[in-house]
Amino acid sequence: MLLVFSDHEKSSFAFLSSIPDQVYPDVIKIALSNLLGTKENTKVINSAAAKLKVEVKSLISALDTLSACFLNSAKRSLSPDDVTASLTSAGVSESLVAGVTECYRDNRELLLNAARLNSIQVPEYKSLEWRLECQVGSRSLHNTVIPNVLTKWTITDPAAEDKVTERYLDCDVNTLHHIADSLRSAQQELDTFHVRKICRNMDKMG
């Protein structure tokens, strides 16, 4: 999977490709710091813009694009080769591609952690246990078997104080079939053209 860049992002990369190669390490370092929560102050960025003789607004936009490139690459768990291919296909200069790829490789674990913190954290399924119970008769119902299913869901919830929680669901077989059919229908819906188109547009938005 490769990153898809907007026209604005491509313009930012074109701007970065126009500045001297020797300042790439400093620019990349600032973009990384901004993403990891150790933002460089405005004075540093203004000073860098003055030395490069460029507009502060253009430099900030380029730094934001670089930060977004790092974050989106980590969100998709791209390999360094994927990052290189993504930037190269966008027409980024070889020197800048090499610098960004090296920084991504060296700080990949930190970037993956940053991506997790920037993602919406929702509970995730971990495991399922179940038990089938049958009522084989009662005073009102003779020679009748009534099956019932007790399930225990183990869920990982990043937002909860106890990261791993357990939930119990006691239901009859018809209800269980309905749940399974609903999940199967949702899974099939994910494979439709409409949903794939939405996912592609979300990827482009980063």
Side-chain angles (χ1 to χ4, degrees):
M1 179 190 296
L2 300 183
L3 294 178
V4 178
F5 298 107
S6 66
D7 290 339
H8 171 73
E9 289 171 325
K10 289 179 180 178
S11 296
S12 292
F13 283 126
F15 164 79
L16 288 171
S17 297
S18 69
I19 64 179
D21 293 6
Q22 58 265 30
V23 301
Y24 286 161
D26 292 331
V27 171
I28 293 170
K29 180 181 177 182
I30 293 173
L32 182 67
S33 297
N34 288 346
L35 177 60
L36 297 179
T38 53
K39 280 197 170 188
E40 297 289 351
N41 59 44
T42 306
K43 187 176 181 180
V44 173
I45 296 175
N46 289 344
S47 176
K51 289 180 181 179
L52 293 171
K53 297 180 180 179
V54 298
E55 293 184 0
V56 174
K57 183 179 179 181
S58 297
L59 181 57
I60 291 176
S61 178
L63 291 170
D64 289 342
T65 296
L66 269 182
S67 297
C69 176
F70 283 132
L71 181 61
N72 291 329
S73 297
K75 281 183 177 180
R76 292 161 179 76
S77 297
L78 298 189
S79 68
D81 288 341
D82 290 333
V83 175
T84 296
S86 299
L87 293 171
T88 301
S89 65
V92 181
S93 67
E94 291 184 9
S95 299
L96 182 56
V97 170
V100 172
T101 302
E102 182 181 4
C103 183
Y104 178 76
R105 182 186 296 111
D106 293 343
N107 298 278
R108 195 173 182 186
E109 287 302 317
L110 290 174
L111 289 168
L112 289 173
N113 288 334
R116 281 190 285 269
L117 291 174
N118 277 272
S119 300
I120 298 176
Q121 297 184 330
V122 296
E124 296 181 358
Y125 162 81
K126 184 177 181 182
S127 65
L128 169 66
E129 297 177 33
W130 61 274
R131 184 176 70 198
L132 177 64
E133 300 175 337
C134 293
Q135 182 179 344
V136 295
S138 66
R139 291 181 179 179
S140 58
L141 297 172
H142 299 285
N143 300 321
T144 301
V145 176
I146 304 176
N148 204 64
V149 180
L150 176 65
T151 58
K152 182 176 78 171
W153 302 76
T154 303
I155 299 168
T156 302
D157 188 354
E161 185 174 341
D162 296 325
K163 298 299 182 183
V164 179
T165 59
E166 296 177 350
R167 296 288 184 270
Y168 291 88
L169 175 64
D170 189 8
C171 61
D172 57 46
V173 173
N174 288 334
T175 301
L176 191 62
H177 278 308
H178 174 69
I179 293 173
D181 289 340
S182 298
L183 291 173
R184 193 175 297 111
S185 176
Q187 186 178 27
Q188 291 172 348
E189 183 71 20
L190 288 174
D191 293 331
T192 62
F193 172 78
H194 178 66
V195 173
R196 291 201 301 270
K197 183 178 180 181
I198 292 175
C199 290
R200 284 197 299 271
N201 289 334
M202 291 178 67
D203 285 342
K204 291 179 181 179
M205 292 170 62

